[in-house]
Amino acid sequence: MKKIIRALTAVAAGLALTAPVTLAPPAAATAAPPGESTRLELPRTTGAFAVGRDTLHLVDRDRKDPWVPTADRELLLSLYYPALAHTGTPAPYLSVPEAKALLTDRGQLGEYVTPERVAATRTQSRAGALPRPSAQRYPLIVLSPGFTMPRASLSVLAEDLAARGYVVAAVDHAYESDGTVFPGGRLLTCKACEQVFPDGSLHRVSDGRARDIPFVLDRLTGPHPAWRYSRLIDPRHVGMAGHSIGGAAASATMAVDPRVDAGVNMDGTFFTPVPQGGLAGRPFLMLAGDPALLPPDFPDTSWEDTWPRLDGWKRWLTVTGVGHPGFTDWPVLGDQVGYAHPETPLSGTRSQQITRAYVGDFFDLHLRGLPAPRLNGPTPADPEVVFHRG
């Protein structure tokens, strides 16, 4: 299966908070630059609801940042929620500085598209939209991105989950992305990379995120919530999914916080091992890329080691033709600019159809009790999905 180490190798060649904030992108991020006539666009959602998006900045005054010990730990959240249609304004994708940092670290992709064009990508969510009028509260799903990747890299999945009737909190962990603009116009770059790549101490990332997410849950569902729409959240039903090292963070968080009822690891090495005693019977989905795309000398037994420790409902699925980036937005955007990622031969459209369907159905089953027959075994409708175990 495709795991994080190969992607990382490629990358290398208490509490105080502000009010909800909107980080407005530069003007160049609101329209396609001259000479680039086709605007990039995220796919339409499959759910019934319009999607709103808020931005929330959190600061943990009781905890120092693991990468910059002179600073308090900061997190930046995009909160997606079922919204009243036609309210709010189109939500930006990235700022130009964030897109530039991302493309600089993505090598060949930068030859196909400019930072301005990536930043101007049309999303399917609206900033400041009014919540959908309803007495219903929605399960919460936390999304944690891959190492060096911004929270925006999971926008396709986040928007679709919100359209299906979830509140989604996509988290940027300070100093762990190529570049994320925090309040005050501060572009925080990957200080963590400077520390964990030389000695291979990547477990520090997933360990740290397992401390970040309980703090996020405290601030979203606690007695004095930080978010203006926290009333939308049903704190009795919480899930977490992550890509790459964010997937390792999902199981690491479940190991320390019983509030997380179900988890998904999308193609991430378990740098923080699942405890021998398991996850207290809670369900877990391991959704992996195509093993055929791995180099022959790629050493990683963490999924084999983890499988017997998972003591609740569990599935181990692989997706033929999907490499490590295939569970993020990048294949979708790559298709639109004519960039065929060598690690993801399956189209961006199809890879995201599968990601949305299987992750969404997993949470429907375990947070809502809805039937999810596609998780019972192979189906002719999804020939790419192989039930490796489960």
Side-chain angles (χ1 to χ4, degrees), residues 244-268:
S244 199
I245 211 162
S251 56
T253 301
M254 292 177 71
V256 300
D257 195 327
R259 291 175 294 182
V260 182
D261 301 302
V264 180
N265 181 341
M266 296 182 290
D267 214 45

Side-chain angles (χ1 to χ4, degrees), residues 61-260:
R61 300 294 184 194
D62 291 334
R63 180 183 169 214
K64 292 301 181 182
D65 190 276
W67 316 114
V68 182
T70 57
D72 293 328
R73 184 59 165 168
E74 292 183 72
L75 304 168
L76 198 59
L77 279 60
S78 289
L79 288 150
Y80 300 81
Y81 53 94
L84 186 63
H86 311 301
T87 63
T89 58
Y93 188 59
L94 288 170
S95 69
V96 172
E98 289 170 330
K100 183 176 181 180
L102 182 67
L103 290 177
T104 298
D105 201 19
R106 291 299 170 289
Q108 189 177 8
L109 179 58
E111 301 174 11
Y112 289 77
V113 64
T114 63
E116 290 79 9
R117 192 177 179 200
V118 172
T121 297
R122 181 182 289 109
T123 67
Q124 300 296 330
S125 51
R126 297 180 70 85
L130 297 175
R132 175 177 172 266
S134 173
Q136 176 184 6
R137 295 204 291 177
Y138 305 102
L140 172 67
I141 298 173
V142 179
L143 296 181
S144 186
F147 194 35
T148 78
M149 304 290 275
R151 67 193 190 280
S153 65
L154 298 176
S155 295
V156 171
L157 177 59
E159 290 183 337
D160 200 64
L161 289 169
R164 292 173 72 137
Y166 294 92
V167 172
V168 180
V171 183
D172 250 318
H173 309 265
Y175 301 110
E176 294 178 16
S177 73
D178 291 325
T180 297
V181 175
F182 275 69
R186 297 169 296 143
L187 182 69
L188 303 188
T189 57
C190 192
K191 298 295 184 184
C193 297
E194 302 168 8
Q195 300 179 43
V196 304
F197 280 138
D199 63 6
S201 58
L202 285 154
H203 65 90
R204 293 176 58 195
V205 180
S206 45
D207 289 351
R209 293 187 183 189
R211 299 183 68 187
D212 290 341
I213 302 309
F215 172 70
V216 169
L217 297 182
D218 290 344
R219 302 309 294 135
L220 292 179
T221 68
H224 304 288
W227 184 39
R228 58 180 170 176
Y229 296 140
S230 285
R231 66 182 184 276
L232 298 176
I233 297 172
D234 181 352
R236 301 168 302 169
H237 299 100
V238 177
M240 182 174 174
H243 171 244
S244 199
I245 211 162
S251 56
T253 301
M254 292 177 71
V256 300
D257 195 327
R259 291 175 294 182
V260 182

Side-chain angles (χ1 to χ4, degrees), residues 320-369:
T320 304
V322 167
H324 192 65
F327 302 100
T328 74
D329 298 355
W330 307 135
V332 172
L333 300 180
D335 284 357
Q336 295 178 45
V337 301
Y339 174 65
H341 199 294
E343 297 177 358
T344 305
L346 194 66
S347 73
T349 296
R350 186 64 184 139
S351 64
Q352 277 307 308
Q353 286 174 343
I354 291 170
T355 301
R356 285 173 155 187
Y358 281 82
V359 174
D361 280 13
F362 170 82
F363 286 123
D364 280 353
L365 175 64
H366 295 293
L367 299 184
R368 290 174 155 164

